[in-house]
């Protein structure tokens, strides 16, 4: 994570995965109104090997980098059960966080 400019990387394992999970804690740690979710719960919620949601869904996690440093995150989510029940081909986005920088 050292290149200059804006970049996007997958955050599916290792350091990038931990950064994805920890990003809101870094962004909002000084906000007195933020009630952080339990970190261990977030690790289960976002882990396809541990959470039952992923029996019928899949996700890809991405980090936005600005000058090599994490500046945002987003998840792309495909819920096959939703699409089956609603006869749709719909994808979803979630877990969006970013720095305040246009």
């Amino acid at each position: 994570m050292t290149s200059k400019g804006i970049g996007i990387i997958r955050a599916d394992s290792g350091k990038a995965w931990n950064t994805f999970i920890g990003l809101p804690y870094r962004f909002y740690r000084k906000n007195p109104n933020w009630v952080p979710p339990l970190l261990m719960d977030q690790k289960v919620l976002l882990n396809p090997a541990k959470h039952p949601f992923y029996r019928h869904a899949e996700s890809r996690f991405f980090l936005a980098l600005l000058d090599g440093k994490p500046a945002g995150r987003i998840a792309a989510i495909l819920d096959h059960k939703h699409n089956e029940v609603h006869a749709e081909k719909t994808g979803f986005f979630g877990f969006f966080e970013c720095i305040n920088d246009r």
Side-chain angles (χ1 to χ4, degrees), residues 31-50:
N31 183 332
N33 298 311
W34 187 58
V35 179
L38 295 174
L39 188 56
M40 63 186 211
D41 285 347
Q42 292 298 289
K43 288 182 178 183
V44 170
L45 176 67
L46 297 173
N47 187 334
K50 293 184 178 182

Side-chain angles (χ1 to χ4, degrees), residues 57-87:
E58 56 189 289
S59 295
R60 298 292 181 268
F61 305 102
F62 301 92
L63 285 172
L65 305 176
L66 179 60
D67 295 333
K69 295 181 181 173
R73 73 176 192 169
I74 196 164
I77 304 161
L78 183 57
D79 184 345
H80 300 290
K81 185 61 76 177
H82 170 91
N83 286 336
E84 177 186 321
V85 168
H86 298 282

Side-chain angles (χ1 to χ4, degrees), residues 21-34:
I21 292 172
L23 208 55
Y25 299 84
R26 193 182 100 207
F27 284 172
Y28 306 122
R29 71 177 172 247
K30 294 181 181 179
N31 183 332
N33 298 311
W34 187 58

